[in-house]
Amino acid sequence: MKTLLYIDCCIRDEASRTQQLAQSFLNNVSETYEVTTLKLTKLDLKPLIGEHFEEREQLLTAKNYHHPRFDLAHQLVAADAIVIAAPFWDLSFPALLKLYIEACAVDQITFKSTPDGLIGMCNAKHLVYLTTRGGVYTDSPSEQALPYLRHISTFFGVDHFHAISADGMDIQGYDSKLSLQNAKSEAEALAKTLF
Ligand SMILES: Cc1cc2nc3c(=O)[nH]c(=O)nc-3n(C[C@H](O)[C@H](O)[C@H](O)COP(=O)(O)O)c2cc1C
């Protein structure tokens, strides 16, 4: 069976619009995929500072790539498909997702240096990014989450990046319900097409 890694960076549990969007996608993934959910708020992700940073340096120098602290990187590499859901925060995504990416960005696991440059090691062909935003930021240069995630996806070796977003969740007078519904329909269709 193929594996789909769902990286859930939704912060608000019950009320999260981003979570609703993600569910619309996941509900339409075929049964040939086993979905593994990684709820980032439940992980003890730490910033790379002090002892936490030093330990990583020592493990990498010793080429100890199978130490448990690299489990997240191995899990990401092995996944056949990747879905990330994260709300739009401060023109980007929550810092929690960056901590997760730092935990996964390990030379010789998710990417490697070669004489021809850096090569991404991820097995997945597709990464799908799902988000909802308070304002309207589609195609805006101020939208800094989507370009970064597109590039880190390529950096990790994933061939295709897809993004679905719902704008205007917090604008008074904006039809936020319709915006979310449109994004959900798009997510359902994409899940059926890809997986
Ligand atoms: C800490 C924080 C920062 C936010 N920053 C932005 C922002 O920069 N631009 C924006 O349009 N909305 C911003 N929002 C609003 C969220 O993007 C919006 O409410 C989104 O739908 C939240 O997703 P959720 O319902 O899944 O929690 C912010 C919300 C929070 C809580």
Side-chain angles (χ1 to χ4, degrees):
M1 197 177 232
K2 293 186 206 164
T3 56
L4 184 152
L5 182 62
Y6 169 42
I7 301 158
D8 175 3
C9 184
C10 298
I11 310 295
R12 302 185 314 137
D13 271 336
E14 302 292 307
S16 170
R17 279 79 58 104
T18 317
Q19 186 64 260
Q20 288 180 41
L21 178 57
Q23 281 313 319
S24 295
F25 187 92
L26 295 169
N27 289 345
N28 287 280
V29 169
S30 87
E31 288 176 359
T32 57
Y33 282 86
E34 184 183 11
V35 177
T36 300
T37 300
L38 208 49
K39 179 87 186 146
L40 297 193
T41 54
K42 305 278 186 218
L43 302 183
D44 187 22
L45 292 165
K46 296 189 181 79
L48 282 176
I49 52 171
E51 283 176 16
H52 193 59
F53 176 77
E54 295 303 335
E55 183 194 56
R56 179 184 191 272
E57 294 289 280
Q58 285 161 17
L59 289 169
L60 293 180
T61 303
K63 301 191 190 312
N64 189 352
Y65 301 118
H66 288 282
H67 187 276
R69 72 173 280 172
F70 299 133
D71 285 355
L72 288 173
H74 287 291
Q75 181 188 43
L76 184 70
V77 162
D80 294 302
I82 302 165
V83 175
I84 299 178
F88 187 59
W89 275 19
D90 305 321
L91 307 184
S92 182
F93 46 76
L96 186 62
L97 180 56
K98 186 64 166 67
L99 293 184
Y100 170 76
I101 292 168
E102 282 185 359
C104 291
V106 184
D107 191 356
Q108 301 301 320
I109 303 178
T110 37
F111 67 94
K112 65 179 176 184
S113 312
T114 74
D116 300 324
L118 294 171
I119 295 184
M121 310 273 277
C122 274
N123 193 39
K125 298 274 174 287
H126 298 277
L127 186 149
V128 178
Y129 167 54
L130 305 164
T131 192
T132 67
R133 311 185 185 107
V136 176
Y137 282 88
T138 295
D139 297 331
S140 164
S142 300
E143 215 295 5
Q144 292 292 307
L146 208 148
Y148 174 80
L149 290 170
R150 175 183 286 124
H151 285 286
I152 200 78
S153 173
T154 303
F155 178 70
F156 285 156
V158 182
D159 298 331
H160 304 286
F161 176 84
H162 313 264
I164 296 176
S165 53
D167 273 331
M169 292 300 102
D170 302 330
I171 299 177
Q172 274 198 352
Y174 195 89
D175 197 341
S176 54
K177 277 194 179 151
L178 179 64
S179 175
L180 185 57
Q181 190 47 54
N182 287 342
K184 284 181 178 178
S185 302
E186 215 184 313
E188 286 172 20
L190 185 65
K192 285 176 187 161
T193 306
L194 293 183
F195 312 122

